[in-house]
Amino acid sequence: MTRRPAAAAAADPAPALITETEALAALCARLATERFVTVDTEFMRERTYWPELCLVQLAGQEEVALVDALAPGIDLAPLGELLANPAVMKVFHAARQDVEIFLLKFDAVPTPLFDTQVAAMVAGYGDQVSYDGLCRSLAGAAIDKAHRFSDWSARPLSPAQQAYAAADVTHLRKIYSVLDAKLRREGRLAWVGEEMAALADPATYRTEPEAAWERLRPRTGNRRFLGVLQAVAAWREREAQRINIPRQRLVKDETLLEIAATMPDSVADLARARGISEGFAKGRSGSGLLAAVKAGRELPDEALPEAPKDRAGPPSSPALVALLKVLLAAKSEEHQVAPRLLASSEDLDRLAGGDGAEVPALQGWRREVFGEAALALKSGRLALGVDGRKVKLIPAG
């Protein structure tokens, strides 16, 4: 299912529907001569662990095409070559899920790549600005949400579906051109480049099963509990991959946390956990889950995981966090950058807890724009005041 509303194609010609390898190879050869290509995907993931790629939308300066990834016999290798071509910029909006799909399909991240959502945040268009918002403000495009929840695996695709899908890349050409020009004028392309480095890192999209427990954000430092949680979360990740169902559909997060706390050692005990049926507990998955609990219980003390550093120690002062939020808003307003891009709520909590926090806000351009001021505020070298209707930063002795 598509992740966002797309704009309706207006003056653009009907997109070409590519269903054969030869036509795809010819298309990619033509697009390889372009300075940039806009890219989007439609996929299904509601019932599976792995995303099912259904459609790839591509646009150059003049050409717009839809690649039917489900067409019988089609080989997507020419698309992989285009995405790997270093001479052609690949432009996405909210690229992460699209890039993950291509990494799974071609074992490589598209390069080079540009995410207009990130670029818009750097350019001052707000936090996680939507595609339809940018269509309105930068491309003057009307929005059509009629096919937002289409089943993209069903064939044939209707003309309306094709027009809807094509609009995701046609208007993106204008959006990219406007953002690129603005960022060049303001000297901020390097800021976007730092963000693209994270998107281009394959590690961004790969979760090691043994690290899956950290995503659950346990609020305890009990290492035995964490050892069992690590074991059962790793089991869930592998089992969800094996069966190819969403991890939450297999076992919900809150159920894993309960199991790590109660450490059941029998089918009957496991069946008493919320969300665990007797049939599940007695089956193959239940046996695997009980084995994971046992493995976590039997880990030697020295092998038990430590609580994440940012959650160790006493909680941060709410008053200090509130001051940092005011500073963040002031710096965001001063530099016309989305606050969320400068620092997340978690970053502020960790900054309040210690000057040595390993957070993005103390790295690269973010440190220059916000991080140094945050450290100065904490150390008493900076105070906050009010000047008319604006927050004023006052150097302190």
Side-chain angles (χ1 to χ4, degrees), residues 207-259:
T207 299
E208 292 298 325
E210 278 68 29
W213 68 277
E214 297 178 3
R215 193 190 299 123
L216 302 177
R217 302 182 58 77
R219 297 182 177 277
T220 178
N222 183 309
R223 294 182 65 200
R224 181 60 57 188
F225 168 91
L226 295 179
V228 175
L229 183 63
Q230 180 185 54
V232 296
W235 167 84
R236 181 180 69 169
E237 204 71 18
R238 293 191 177 96
E239 186 73 353
Q241 291 175 2
R242 182 185 71 81
I243 303 175
N244 195 23
I245 63 172
R247 61 176 71 89
Q248 290 280 9
R249 184 168 293 189
L250 178 63
V251 179
K252 293 187 179 300
D253 288 350
E254 56 266 28
T255 302
L256 277 191
L257 290 165
E258 179 184 340
I259 288 170

Side-chain angles (χ1 to χ4, degrees), residues 44-336:
M44 302 295 289
R45 199 175 196 170
E46 285 71 21
R47 299 181 296 273
T48 61
Y49 182 95
W50 305 108
E52 179 186 16
L53 179 61
C54 301
L55 196 69
V56 180
Q57 302 99 288
L58 300 169
Q61 288 290 349
E62 303 294 336
E63 192 166 10
V64 181
L66 309 177
V67 180
D68 186 352
L70 300 181
I74 193 168
D75 183 352
L76 297 181
L79 174 62
E81 294 173 9
L82 175 65
L83 295 176
N85 187 334
V88 183
M89 178 67 74
K90 270 64 72 173
V91 180
F92 298 82
H93 182 83
R96 186 172 180 126
Q97 292 187 83
D98 302 314
V99 172
E100 179 187 10
I101 288 171
F102 290 133
L103 177 61
L104 290 169
K105 179 68 67 175
F106 302 116
D107 198 31
V109 171
T111 184
L113 63 86
F114 187 98
D115 188 330
T116 57
Q117 185 179 72
V118 173
M121 293 168 72
V122 172
Y125 288 92
D127 282 347
Q128 287 190 307
V129 61
S130 66
Y131 180 67
D132 56 323
L134 289 179
C135 282
R136 287 193 301 270
S137 59
L138 300 185
I143 302 301
D144 175 14
K145 300 181 180 181
H147 293 279
R148 184 179 185 184
F149 298 108
S150 281
D151 180 354
W152 293 101
S153 65
R155 294 295 181 271
L157 296 171
S158 71
Q161 281 180 302
Q162 294 181 44
Y164 172 95
D168 273 349
V169 288
T170 53
H171 300 304
L172 195 54
R173 296 177 295 197
K174 175 66 173 178
I175 292 168
Y176 169 66
S177 297
V178 171
L179 287 174
D180 181 63
K182 178 177 173 62
L183 293 167
R184 287 181 187 276
R185 287 195 306 272
E186 297 175 354
R188 296 189 178 188
L189 270 181
W191 296 11
V192 177
E194 288 188 31
E195 305 312 300
M196 294 305 100
L199 278 175
D201 184 356
T204 300
Y205 309 93
R206 291 175 175 149
T207 299
E208 292 298 325
E210 278 68 29
W213 68 277
E214 297 178 3
R215 193 190 299 123
L216 302 177
R217 302 182 58 77
R219 297 182 177 277
T220 178
N222 183 309
R223 294 182 65 200
R224 181 60 57 188
F225 168 91
L226 295 179
V228 175
L229 183 63
Q230 180 185 54
V232 296
W235 167 84
R236 181 180 69 169
E237 204 71 18
R238 293 191 177 96
E239 186 73 353
Q241 291 175 2
R242 182 185 71 81
I243 303 175
N244 195 23
I245 63 172
R247 61 176 71 89
Q248 290 280 9
R249 184 168 293 189
L250 178 63
V251 179
K252 293 187 179 300
D253 288 350
E254 56 266 28
T255 302
L256 277 191
L257 290 165
E258 179 184 340
I259 288 170
T262 58
M263 302 183 194
D265 59 3
S266 70
V267 168
D269 288 342
L270 179 60
R272 281 192 282 269
R274 285 176 300 172
I276 299 294
S277 67
E278 184 176 354
F280 179 99
K282 289 181 176 178
R284 173 176 174 175
S285 292
S287 297
L289 183 49
L290 284 172
V293 172
K294 184 174 186 292
R297 293 179 66 174
E298 294 178 353
L299 274 175
D301 289 347
E302 62 271 17
L304 293 171
E306 300 278 358
K309 292 180 181 179
D310 58 304
R311 279 161 241 161
S316 303
S317 161
L320 179 54
V321 173
L323 275 178
L324 289 171
K325 287 181 179 178
V326 173
L327 176 65
L328 176 63
K331 283 294 186 179
S332 171
E333 183 179 276
E334 176 188 350
H335 292 276
Q336 290 296 294

